[in-house]
Amino acid sequence: MAAFTEQSSEKLEQIIDPEICAKFGVESLRDKQEEVLQHLMSKSDVLAILPTGFGKSLIYQIFPHVLETPSCVLIVSPLVSLMKDQIDRLTLLGFSAKMARDIQIDRKLPTYIYGTPEDYLQGTKHTFIDMLHQHHGDKIVLLVVDEVHTIPKWGEISDANNKSRRKAQEGAFRAYFSHVGELRSFFPGVVVLALTATASKGLQNQIKESLIIPDCKVVNVCPNRDNIRLSVLKIQRDIPSTFYWMVDKLREDQHEFPRTIVYCSSIDATGTLYHFFKEEYPQSVDYIGMYHSETDNTVQESHLKEFTKLSTSNLRLIFCTTALGMGIDMKSTYHVLHYGPSFYLESYIQESGRVGRDGKPSHAVLFYHGGMLRDICPKLKSYVKNDTLCRRVKLFEDFASSKDLSVLKNKESHHNCCDICERNCSCSNCDSHANYIEKYMVHYCADTESDESSDDTGSLESDSVLADSSQSSCSHESLEADQTE
């Protein structure tokens, strides 16, 4: 293993060459980034829970440059497209980075090796990782596992008979993800860095157990983003009464329509909404897109390219599953809608946090009707049905420290926080703050709000966009896309 020198006890600003930071495009590191690096330098495993856009990747990318001996970082990620993007960026910056599947063991190793768990663990006796250990074991100094909030979900499948989720012993989805901890047996002295944007207290314990890092340091920043206003709207089951306002505004504003993400509960729902817009306004094909695991790869790449541009792109509205999102920096995007809730609370937090990455006022709105609440986790159902407590407090109560939660609970109600706080706001100036989405969508949908008597019963026959969970589970669907690459 490369040397961790006595410099570990020094302040990081004395260890990190300012030129290195400059080469990565930053003047300095944030306090929490430094804290994680300090723990790694002290040979401590770390679970880092840092919000979307915080700069998690920069931590492990800088790490080998604070060591005196040439070394290598092993990165495990479920997202092939994201890994390729990072490899391209690192290469452009002058660093060596490759996918594990492209590495020749008898050659000099790159500084960064990226791969899926299948790349490392699949095959007879884990062929690649075993050879890596034999030839270059002393060069591997850090094992990074990205998006670890999904670890407890890997290995789950949908049961089409009762629409429940259960652990599967055979045929599990992305089964190798549940065995990432085995990599430690090949590199017993390696330091582990587990990364995610969200992890409740219970989930943290599951992650520690799965990765065999029971005594790791936990660096946790609450994922709350004050610039994102939260709203929940109960809607009717038919699509027109929920989305016709958007068709009208897209027809009226065209390329001036604010860039918006619409998350759907399934591939079927995504396609249904896309074709509804296309039929109601044929010219909308110039401004809308569709993104899920079965979308053609060329189309996926094109949409990602457009949404990572600044506001000059003509792509204004994208209907998608959770396949769109993790690790993607959405430029100039300030509105995210959910047509039906995600399955997991962690997923909803991550998806609603895709917008407002530059800190500008943004809006996350969750649409639902009763049938959409049947097969979601209880905590997210509680968030949706809550009508009295500040949505921000409700959403982050399992993710915030006691101090952060106290701040959220004791803040003064204000219209920029959430729809519930707006009702209690006393500024007498609430109307003037309304942005595009609030002016046209919230008020329109409030006028057409469903008068269903039950949230959890009733026929789904009229709901043309709720697909059976056995057809397309959104929590699994995004990772299937990467397996096919």
Side-chain angles (χ1 to χ4, degrees), residues 293-313:
S293 67
E294 296 179 10
T295 306
D296 181 80
N297 285 343
T298 303
V299 176
Q300 285 188 357
E301 291 176 6
S302 175
H303 288 341
L304 287 178
K305 184 178 180 180
E306 291 299 305
F307 252 74
T308 53
K309 288 181 179 179
L310 295 176
S311 56
T312 53
S313 169

Side-chain angles (χ1 to χ4, degrees), residues 182-243:
E182 292 181 14
L183 292 174
R184 298 212 71 173
S185 64
F186 291 92
F187 309 101
V190 75
V191 180
V192 175
L193 172 60
L195 295 171
T196 183
T198 54
S200 64
K201 298 174 180 66
L203 183 55
Q204 291 176 36
N205 292 330
Q206 292 177 302
I207 291 169
K208 292 176 186 179
E209 180 180 357
S210 179
L211 295 181
I212 320 174
I213 52 173
D215 300 319
C216 70
K217 305 292 184 181
V218 178
V219 179
N220 190 1
V221 176
C222 178
N224 173 48
R225 303 255 300 283
D226 286 331
N227 64 307
I228 302 177
R229 174 182 154 88
L230 305 171
S231 298
V232 174
L233 285 172
K234 189 175 181 182
I235 57 173
Q236 294 185 25
R237 292 176 184 267
D238 64 298
I239 290 175
S241 57
T242 302
F243 286 99

Side-chain angles (χ1 to χ4, degrees), residues 26-56:
V26 297
E27 292 184 4
S28 61
L29 299 179
R30 301 185 184 193
D31 289 345
K32 291 298 183 180
Q33 290 172 319
E34 287 194 358
E35 182 180 345
V36 174
L37 275 172
Q38 196 74 61
H39 287 316
L40 296 177
M41 292 294 294
S42 300
K43 300 185 181 180
S44 295
D45 299 324
V46 182
L47 169 56
I49 308 165
L50 305 172
T52 301
F54 193 89
K56 295 183 287 292

Side-chain angles (χ1 to χ4, degrees), residues 264-285:
C264 303
S265 58
S266 68
I267 293 175
D268 285 358
T270 307
T272 301
L273 278 183
Y274 177 87
H275 289 292
F276 168 73
F277 274 71
K278 185 178 176 181
E279 290 172 6
E280 292 294 329
Y281 174 40
Q283 287 75 26
S284 68
V285 294

